[in-house]
Amino acid sequence: MVPEYDHEAIEKKWIELWESEESYRAVADPSLPKKYVLVMFPYPSGPAHMGHVANYSLGDVVARYYRRTGYAVLHPMGYDAFGLPAENAAIQGGIHPAEWTRRNIELIRNDLKRLGYSYDWSREISTCEPEYYRWTQWFFLKMYERGLAYKADAATNWCPSCSTVLANEQVLPDGSCERCGTLVAPRWLNQWFFRITSYAERLLEDMEDLEGWPERVLTMQKNWIGKSRGAEVDFELVSTGEKIRIYTTRPYTLYGVTFFLLAPEHPLVDRLVAGTEREAEVKAFRERMSGRTEFERTALEAEKDGVFLGDYVINPLNGEKAPVYTANFVLLEYGTGAVMAVPAHDQRDFEFAARYGLPVRVVIEPPDGGLDSETMTEAYEGPGTMVSSDRFTGMPNEGGKEAVCDHLEANGWGGRAINYRLRDWLVSRQRYWGAPIPIVYCDECGAVPVPEEDLPVLLPEDLELAEGGKSPLPLTPSFYETECPACGGPARRETDTMDTFVDSSWYYFRYVSPRADGGPLEHDEARYWMPVDQYIGGIEHAILHLLYSRFFTKVIRDLGLIDFSEPFSDLLCQGMVTKDGAKMSKSKGNVVTPGDYIDRLGADTLRLYILFMGPPELGKDWSDQGVEGAHRFLGRLWRMVHERYLPGAEDAQAPLEDQDAPAHREMRSLTHRTIKNVTRDIEEFAFNTAVSFIMELVNGIYHYTSEGRPDAAVLTEAVTAAINLLAPFAPFMTEELWQLIGGQGSVHAQPWPSFDEELARPREVTLVVQVNGKVRDRISVPADIPEDEMKERALACRNARKYLEGREPRKVIVVPGKLVNIVV
Ligand SMILES: [Zn+2]
Ligand SMILES: [Zn+2]
């Protein structure tokens, strides 16, 4: 009798044993090479979801594989535990964010343990604990010391629903809040920033070293940084003579400037109209714009809107006067907030000119000519030849760009300049559930950093959210009343907290020495384990989290704590798990919960299925039949080992003839081929095909043991390989089977199976060659021979040639791997 495959009992038993023996503890061993395998840590919003299972199962296979191929492996887990959802839950459910968060950490931790992931649990971290955010604050102070953290007035993206500002990166392309979908509104506020722009060039340059990153992620980052080469030009304001600097990527259109634009937020706007009749017009204009997002203002189809400010600038190149307007589509944040307008060659400028009756002047003639400012219906933005451009007339625009820049530089009117689309990172949030910014304000001394030895600035956890979910920190004197560290006088603490992206920008450093209390990381541990060798996570983090982490790593290097510049050597972005082709969501009612499947079919089944669903990078659609199929396969393996291998299983069978019978050789060949294929596929993250190969091997063992009494050594080799190869995918059952077949120690501590290249070579099959339907020959060919080659080999064999008698075949019918019929 085969005992039932009792996944519940098996999984429970091994979880407890692995935990008590600390089987997956990471130990730095200088005599071994290392692998740091990292999965993006979860936001604890409840139990694990299928996205977690997909990501973490990938990571676990990689970690388990490297442990068995001679590496010391660090595979940690923690929680990105600050953030808005905890507050939203508090608003809705009346539960404190801290309690909600810690409760969810319990839930997800429990699921991750049940899934058998081989984390070193002794390194678990949580970003909302003082022992962690003390160092988040420490990094803030280091940034402040180096001028990398600063406070400035800025037009910010305000989410009215979340009652907080958002970083540009947190505003979706349609102008809505990344977290809640509400349309973001602009608001002018004094905010904290990290000067990521001063690292723009290094962030770009170092991408050269990121060979292990997906190309699309690099492209997204490159576009986000948005480096462009152009020119800066100073235009002189007629009324005061002051210079206004603009940036343009197309200096060859400078002779086409017919007016000049300022962003509505540009400080000059108010100055120019102060006390004039235009003041009211500007006010009305701003009112029309209030509540419009940047996205709405700059959308190509947005109606162009503006006000003449009553002044002019002089174009240094031709001395012409151009009227100054403020316009809705000009942003203060980009460039300098002032732009030259070239309506003939810029569509927005063209529309603005059309609305306000401003002149249009063609200065770039398209290759096929015929552009007329009187008749053109849209701007021409393509390449061409410079015309009406004084000494530059006749030059191709690209060559003209350099010539104009030379001319600007020679005359001191401006010159070549590089511009980035990247803005500084806005890190302050008017929220409660985050790491307090370690700054105090003193009337005498201004902003003063909290001394390092006074860290952490504790977030009081005994406060309730204020009316409307607002932060209680500015309403709590026991929090904000303090002494100035510089003069000892009364001072007030900063009540803003940090963006949670700050917490997650350095967490992978903390794992190397999670309990270090002399600094954020211990040098020896960091030197051994860092950088991360393999990072795995969702493509949705392609820009924000990865860019911020790269920035932090460069800053940490500049602080002298490490000697490398990039945190993640290799990056794998896994696809989303969907149900019926749609993203799983509560509102659609199509959520499948890992816990249910673990209860019913076991963690091994769930892991195996999710890895078998398809290549990791692609999206995967959940199927209940699929998961049942994975469960049946595990049952089949379980029965195979009991019925065909364990003592007493097969004695009744008659022995196969001799040691050299083809069946033995074929079994061995399949075993070695499977080891070879699975090893290669794991290294290439083709986990789905790796699982297929193991399934084929199990089928092969059934077949072999059905033909007659198998050779004990051949069978042992095959069964041992199957269990060993499947171990990273289904760690519980394989551990149980390993023990049952008398394996020593844990299967997860065994050296990875090796293969014999000779035995692993594709086996030969016999190919039947027919001529006009009659069997004329049998030839031996490799089993995986392509069809073309089958045809060739059949036509070339002796008997086929004999029966063809030099005739051209009319048709050749190929049955792959079996038969070729030549029709003459
Ligand atoms: Zn929001
Ligand atoms: Zn002071």
Side-chain angles (χ1 to χ4, degrees), residues 137-153:
Q137 293 172 337
W138 185 87
F139 279 122
F140 183 97
L141 293 179
K142 292 293 163 193
M143 297 260 203
Y144 185 78
E145 255 170 44
R146 302 172 76 86
L148 292 172
Y150 67 95
K151 206 171 191 196
D153 282 334

Side-chain angles (χ1 to χ4, degrees), residues 441-446 448 483-491:
Y441 300 100
C442 165
D443 285 342
E444 299 299 315
C445 316
V448 181
E483 264 176 22
C484 170
C487 71

Side-chain angles (χ1 to χ4, degrees), residues 25 28 72 94 154 161 206 279 290 295 316 357 408 417 421 445 559 584 690 734 773 788 795:
R25 199 179 182 112
S161 159
D206 291 349
E279 204 169 354
S290 72
F295 175 79
L408 290 168
R421 185 178 164 266
C445 316
L559 291 171
M584 290 186 198
T734 51
D788 286 357
L795 286 166

Side-chain angles (χ1 to χ4, degrees), residues 410-422:
N411 289 283
W413 297 327
R416 287 173 178 80
I418 286 169
N419 199 44
Y420 298 91
R421 185 178 164 266
L422 183 69

Side-chain angles (χ1 to χ4, degrees), residues 84 159-164 166 177-182 184:
L84 212 48
C159 174
S161 159
C162 298
S163 315
T164 187
L166 305 172
C177 167
E178 175 195 58
R179 293 173 190 279
C180 73
T182 308
V184 169

Side-chain angles (χ1 to χ4, degrees), residues 352-637:
F352 193 87
R355 172 153 184 197
Y356 294 98
L358 294 159
V360 176
R361 184 191 300 151
V362 171
V363 291
I364 296 293
E365 191 68 29
D368 52 0
L371 197 60
D372 180 354
S373 59
E374 295 298 318
T375 55
M376 62 196 290
T377 54
E378 57 179 12
Y380 174 70
E381 297 184 342
T385 308
M386 294 176 72
V387 294
S388 307
S389 297
D390 194 17
R391 69 177 74 188
F392 304 103
T393 296
M395 284 190 176
N397 63 315
E398 275 308 318
K401 181 173 180 175
E402 299 308 317
V404 170
C405 286
D406 288 341
H407 188 57
L408 290 168
E409 282 166 8
N411 289 283
W413 297 327
R416 287 173 178 80
I418 286 169
N419 199 44
Y420 298 91
R421 185 178 164 266
L422 183 69
R423 300 291 100 194
D424 278 339
W425 172 12
L426 199 166
V427 295
S428 44
R429 296 288 182 274
Q430 295 67 50
R431 305 299 318 178
Y432 164 59
W433 193 235
I437 291 176
I439 294 285
V440 301
Y441 300 100
C442 165
D443 285 342
E444 299 299 315
C445 316
V448 181
V450 172
E452 268 176 44
E453 59 272 22
D454 293 350
L455 296 183
V457 175
L458 282 174
L459 180 73
E461 289 195 7
D462 54 354
L463 303 179
E464 297 300 323
L465 291 184
E467 181 83 40
K470 286 199 175 64
S471 170
L473 298 179
L475 311 170
T476 307
S478 61
F479 174 74
Y480 65 70
E481 279 178 358
T482 186
E483 264 176 22
C484 170
C487 71
R492 186 185 164 95
R493 274 190 201 288
E494 173 64 79
T495 53
D496 281 357
T497 55
M498 277 186 258
D499 178 11
T500 52
F501 274 111
V502 180
D503 307 327
S504 59
S505 291
W506 74 278
Y507 77 104
Y508 45 90
F509 280 105
R510 192 61 184 165
Y511 282 139
V512 306
S513 46
R515 313 291 167 242
D517 65 359
L521 52 104
E522 258 168 32
H523 296 244
D524 289 348
E525 292 284 319
R527 193 171 305 125
Y528 183 75
W529 291 116
M530 291 294 294
V532 173
D533 296 279
Q534 183 64 56
Y535 198 21
I536 304 172
I539 188 74
E540 65 275 19
H541 297 295
I543 299 175
L544 309 182
H545 164 61
L546 292 173
L547 193 69
Y548 293 153
S549 297
R550 296 182 58 221
F551 164 61
F552 251 77
T553 302
K554 291 171 203 310
V555 173
I556 294 172
R557 179 184 186 144
D558 291 350
L559 291 171
L561 299 181
I562 53 171
D563 59 3
F564 54 88
S565 297
E566 287 291 337
F568 315 123
S569 305
D570 276 76
L571 174 68
L572 175 67
C573 289
Q574 112 267 14
M576 202 162 58
V577 185
T578 55
K579 176 84 193 302
D580 307 323
K583 188 176 173 174
M584 290 186 198
S585 76
K586 273 185 200 148
S587 58
K588 287 199 198 87
N590 65 345
V591 177
V592 287
T593 312
D596 298 344
Y597 288 87
I598 302 173
D599 289 343
R600 200 156 62 75
L601 303 171
D604 275 340
T605 293
L606 184 56
R607 294 171 54 120
L608 188 68
Y609 172 58
I610 213 141
L611 291 162
F612 184 57
M613 280 171 94
E617 301 86 354
L618 299 186
K620 306 163 185 68
D621 202 48
W622 182 267
S623 135
D624 274 344
Q625 285 100 313
V627 77
E628 298 283 354
H631 192 65
R632 275 198 305 278
F633 166 70
L634 288 176
R636 190 168 155 73
L637 172 66

